[in-house]
């Protein structure tokens, strides 16, 4: 499951950065939203790995 989350985070970050570098304001906002979603999933995955290491 962690591998799927890591791949999803990478895809969201790559797409977000790509959209931020475009000239359209709508694409800029979509890129920021994708980066935010990728960060939320990163924090979620970090919590899962932290919990697993304590056991």
């Amino acid at each position: 499951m962690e591998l799927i989350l890591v791949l999803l985070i990478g895809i969201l970050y790559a797409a977000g950065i790509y959209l931020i570098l475009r000239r359209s304001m709508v694409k800029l906002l979509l890129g920021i939203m994708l980066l935010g979603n990728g960060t939320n999933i990163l924090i979620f995955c970090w919590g899962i790995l932290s919990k697993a290491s304590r056991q």
Side-chain angles (χ1 to χ4, degrees):
M1 177 167 162
E2 290 86 9
L3 180 63
I4 295 171
L5 288 175
V6 169
L7 290 173
L8 182 63
I9 291 167
I11 291 169
L12 286 174
Y13 269 90
I17 291 171
Y18 175 77
L19 287 174
I20 285 175
L21 295 176
R22 301 290 101 195
R23 290 185 176 225
S24 172
M25 182 64 98
V26 174
K27 290 181 182 178
L28 173 74
L29 294 174
L30 287 173
I32 291 171
M33 287 174 45
L34 287 178
L35 284 177
N37 287 331
T39 303
N40 286 334
I41 296 173
L42 176 65
I43 293 169
F44 175 73
C45 188
W46 195 353
I48 290 174
L49 294 175
S50 175
K51 184 178 177 182
S53 68
R54 282 188 237 149
Q55 293 179 350

